[in-house]
């Protein structure tokens, strides 16, 4: 489920002291050991599927195991610098295709400015190389026997070249940073089968079930929750503000039941369970393709720090293997993560946002896959199939949508949404999404894999004969967004006497509870 929005909100939270937080946070984001990954990975046969060319260059040769950065990112308010492996030459050579993609995705990326900066950078690089060459010539001349006047002239010339070179190198660094910032706004390329246009142009892939028929007036989840004493929005509004809530009584059991049932069902399909940090560095949010401090954000940023609250577990899970190279034999890596999520939901209003449908804090179970490029279409289909199986098991009436280009976030190459029928709203409401982000996130996070097979060409003397590392593809999907699932369960399973039937798969996870009955007055 996306992280769109319009305004930035900040949290005034106390930052954790550097002396105690640095080591613990580094431990959290350390890549899992290969032995652990091997035990929990299940290899699928590779399929020859359509592969989109990423917007970045092939991976540079690197060591087999990445080492953590040595910079201290815990300094208060420090802005972490990072660079995505963007293939500017490919962008330049495919300018028309990239421009068309930006337009159909309604992106505000400025391609012309990116190409202008790239042209300037190339020219500046040539000038830097020219000066370096001249400096080397002067240095070589000074190695021989020279008249004092000639030596003094060369010393002055070398000094001038050094000063000019330092100035140009500083200009090159600034230009490179500006180019990176502009180019990072360019969205991922789009799957050729994605419908073009705004959200209304999304197409239905599948329709499952039919709306429940009721012989009595239908209540929405707010009315049901009040009569069954399941949540308290008024007290939460006083304590925390609007769009917060307390779950009470059977609603607490329902949340725990949904999480545990979903977690076990997904684990049966070979996913490794995780709980994640719920505070991450702003740079991690950016690397996953979101804008934590931009004009359009739903991210809560922590004041006077470089940290944010997560809007989805996709972000901390994506960071686990940051700056590492994974053995191809360990792919795919499949994770299912449980976390709280925090979103500003700025601009949300109207009846569709009432109650639990759109809130600032909620629990969610998220699936995340890292795989080889030729397999990502296959695993995208697997993710949406898992979601459909889960929602069918709960007896929901839903439709699966192939989302149109204008509704795709920057990282998504293709996105499938599932919308369930909500009788109280008398409409379908989004309950999950599944996105294939190809190598958009991995090029920013620095996550690559290396095949054990030797390179096709003979390596230079002393060089490894291993094939160069490639960027993995990443995928994410919502297995269970708890508040909206509660909305669906309450509204679709309400009875004339005011009770609600608990879906059968959840009962073993709720102490055998079959009904939620109105409380005696």
């Amino acid at each position: 489920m996306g992280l769109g929005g319009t305004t930035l909100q900040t949290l005034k939270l106390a930052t954790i002291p550097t002396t105690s937080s640095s080591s613990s946070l580094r431990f959290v984001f350390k890549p899992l050991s290969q032995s652990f990954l091997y035990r929990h990975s299940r290899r699928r046969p590779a399929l020859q599927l359509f592969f989109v060319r990423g917007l970045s260059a092939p991976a540079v040769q690197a060591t087999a195991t990445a080492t953590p950065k040595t910079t201290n990112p815990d300094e208060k308010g420090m802005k972490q610098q990072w660079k995505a492996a963007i293939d500017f030459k490919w962008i330049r050579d495919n300018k028309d295709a990239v421009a068309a993609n930006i337009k159909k995705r309604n992106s505000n990326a400025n391609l012309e400015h990116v190409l202008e900066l790239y042209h300037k950078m190339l020219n500046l690089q040539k000038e830097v190389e020219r000066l370096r060459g001249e400096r080397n010539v002067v240095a070589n001349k000074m190695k021989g026997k020279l008249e004092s006047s000639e030596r003094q002239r060369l010393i002055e010339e070398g000094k001038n070249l050094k000063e000019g070179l330092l100035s140009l190198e500083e200009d090159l660094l600034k230009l490179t940073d500006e180019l990176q910032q502009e180019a990072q706004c360019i969205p991922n390329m789009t799957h050729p089968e994605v419908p073009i246009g705004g959200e209304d142009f999304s197409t239905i892939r599948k329709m499952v079930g039919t709306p429940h028929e009721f012989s009595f007036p239908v209540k929405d989840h707010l009315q049901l929750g009040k009569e069954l004493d399941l949540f308290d929005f008024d007290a939460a509004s006083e304590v925390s503000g609007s769009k917060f809530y307390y779950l009470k009584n059977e609603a607490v059991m329902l949340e725990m039941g949904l999480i545990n049932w979903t977690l076990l069902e997904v684990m049966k399909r070979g996913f490794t369970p995780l709980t994640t940090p719920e505070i991450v560095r702003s740079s991690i949010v950016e690397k996953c393709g979101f804008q934590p401090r931009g004009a359009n954000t739903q991210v809560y940023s922590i004041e006077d720090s470089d940290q944010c609250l997560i809007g989805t577990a996709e972000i901390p899970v994506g960071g686990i293997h940051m700056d590492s190279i994974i053995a191809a034999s360990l792919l795919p890596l499949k994770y299912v993560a449980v976390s709280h999520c925090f979103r500003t939901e700025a601009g949300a209003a109207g009846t569709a946002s009432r109650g639990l449908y759109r809130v600032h804090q909620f629990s969610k179970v998220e699936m995340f896959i890292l795989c080889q490029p030729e397999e990502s279409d296959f695993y995208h289909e697997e993710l949406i199939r898992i979601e459909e199986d889960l929602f069918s098991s709960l007896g929901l009436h839903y439709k699966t949508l192939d989302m149109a280009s204008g509704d795709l976030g920057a990282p998504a190459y293709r996105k499938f949404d599932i919308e369930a029928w909500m009788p109280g709203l008398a409409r379908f409401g989004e309950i999950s999404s599944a996105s294939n982000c190809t190598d958009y996130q991995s090029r920013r996070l620095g996550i690559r894999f290396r095949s054990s097979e030797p390179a096709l060409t003979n390596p230079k003397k002393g060089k490894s004969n291993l094939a160069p590392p490639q960027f993995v593809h990443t995928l994410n999907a919502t297995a269970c967004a708890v508040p909206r699932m509660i909305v669906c369960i309450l509204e679709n399973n309400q009875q004339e006497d005011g009770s609600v039937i608990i879906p059968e798969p959840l009962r073993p996870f709720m102490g055998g509870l079959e009904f939620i009955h109105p409380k005696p007055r």
Side-chain angles (χ1 to χ4, degrees), residues 397-469:
H397 168 44
Y398 64 85
K399 59 183 178 181
T400 303
L401 302 170
D402 193 348
M403 300 308 292
S405 59
D407 195 61
L408 299 179
Y413 169 55
R414 192 179 195 181
K415 181 167 76 106
F416 301 139
D417 277 7
I418 293 182
E419 296 182 355
W421 180 252
M422 300 178 179
L425 290 175
R427 70 170 181 85
F428 286 96
E430 181 191 346
I431 58 172
S432 77
S433 66
S435 298
N436 180 359
C437 297
T438 62
D439 61 356
Y440 190 90
Q441 294 175 327
S442 63
R443 291 182 181 276
R444 287 153 173 75
L445 291 163
I447 309 174
R448 294 170 290 173
F449 73 96
R450 191 197 299 274
S451 173
S452 59
E453 298 178 359
L456 295 177
T457 58
N458 292 326
K460 295 180 181 179
K461 185 177 181 180
K463 299 286 186 178
S464 169
N465 68 339
L466 291 177

Side-chain angles (χ1 to χ4, degrees), residues 131-142 150-166:
L131 285 186
R132 285 174 180 168
E134 291 184 10
R135 187 183 63 176
N136 291 338
V137 169
V138 170
N140 288 330
K141 286 181 179 179
M142 293 184 65
E150 177 65 11
R151 181 173 295 276
Q152 186 60 38
R153 186 187 69 79
L154 289 175
I155 289 174
E156 289 297 321
E157 185 178 354
K159 181 180 177 181
N160 291 335
L161 286 171
K162 181 180 179 181
E163 291 176 353
L165 185 59
L166 286 174

Side-chain angles (χ1 to χ4, degrees), residues 70-243:
T70 57
T71 55
N72 179 12
D74 295 307
E75 294 182 21
K76 191 174 182 180
M78 175 184 277
K79 170 67 174 176
Q80 294 303 301
Q81 299 298 319
W82 59 275
K83 291 184 179 179
I86 299 174
D87 189 345
F88 298 106
K89 182 178 182 299
W90 188 90
I91 294 175
R92 183 192 64 189
D93 294 345
N94 296 272
K95 174 184 175 181
D96 292 343
V98 175
N101 187 62
I102 289 172
K103 182 177 180 180
K104 67 187 178 186
R105 293 176 70 129
N106 294 329
S107 170
N108 60 1
N110 190 337
L111 178 60
E112 290 299 329
H113 189 41
V114 169
L115 294 176
E116 179 185 353
L117 291 172
Y118 179 54
H119 179 70
K120 289 180 179 179
M121 186 191 73
L122 291 178
N123 289 335
L124 194 53
Q125 283 177 337
K126 291 177 182 178
E127 184 63 16
V128 166
E129 290 302 319
R130 185 186 66 80
L131 285 186
R132 285 174 180 168
E134 291 184 10
R135 187 183 63 176
N136 291 338
V137 169
V138 170
N140 288 330
K141 286 181 179 179
M142 293 184 65
K143 292 178 182 179
K145 291 183 179 181
L146 299 169
E147 296 289 337
S148 59
S149 60
E150 177 65 11
R151 181 173 295 276
Q152 186 60 38
R153 186 187 69 79
L154 289 175
I155 289 174
E156 289 297 321
E157 185 178 354
K159 181 180 177 181
N160 291 335
L161 286 171
K162 181 180 179 181
E163 291 176 353
L165 185 59
L166 286 174
S167 177
L168 284 181
E169 286 176 337
E170 185 177 341
D171 291 343
L172 181 60
L173 182 62
K174 291 178 181 178
L175 185 60
T176 302
D177 286 342
E178 184 181 358
L179 176 58
Q180 271 282 324
Q181 291 299 315
E182 288 293 328
Q184 285 165 17
C185 297
I186 297 177
N188 200 352
M189 297 302 286
T190 306
H191 191 288
E193 295 181 17
V194 167
I196 306 303
E199 184 178 0
D200 293 342
F201 287 84
S202 302
T203 57
I204 297 176
R205 278 170 50 100
K206 178 185 289 188
M207 181 77 75
V208 175
T210 56
H212 286 269
E213 294 184 2
F214 299 94
S215 59
F216 54 89
V218 174
K219 303 171 184 176
D220 66 14
H221 73 281
L222 276 172
Q223 186 176 354
L224 288 165
K226 182 177 181 180
E227 294 175 0
L228 298 171
D229 195 22
L230 296 180
F231 14 85
D232 191 332
F233 287 92
D234 294 335
S237 179
E238 293 296 322
V239 171
S240 302
S242 63
K243 295 186 183 298

Side-chain angles (χ1 to χ4, degrees), residues 99 128 413 485 489 509:
V128 166
Y413 169 55
M485 292 304 296
I489 289 170
F509 299 89

Side-chain angles (χ1 to χ4, degrees), residues 365-376:
V365 182
E366 182 82 358
M367 298 179 286
F368 195 90
I369 294 178
L370 302 94
C371 68
Q372 296 191 32
E374 65 271 16
E375 297 180 327
S376 62

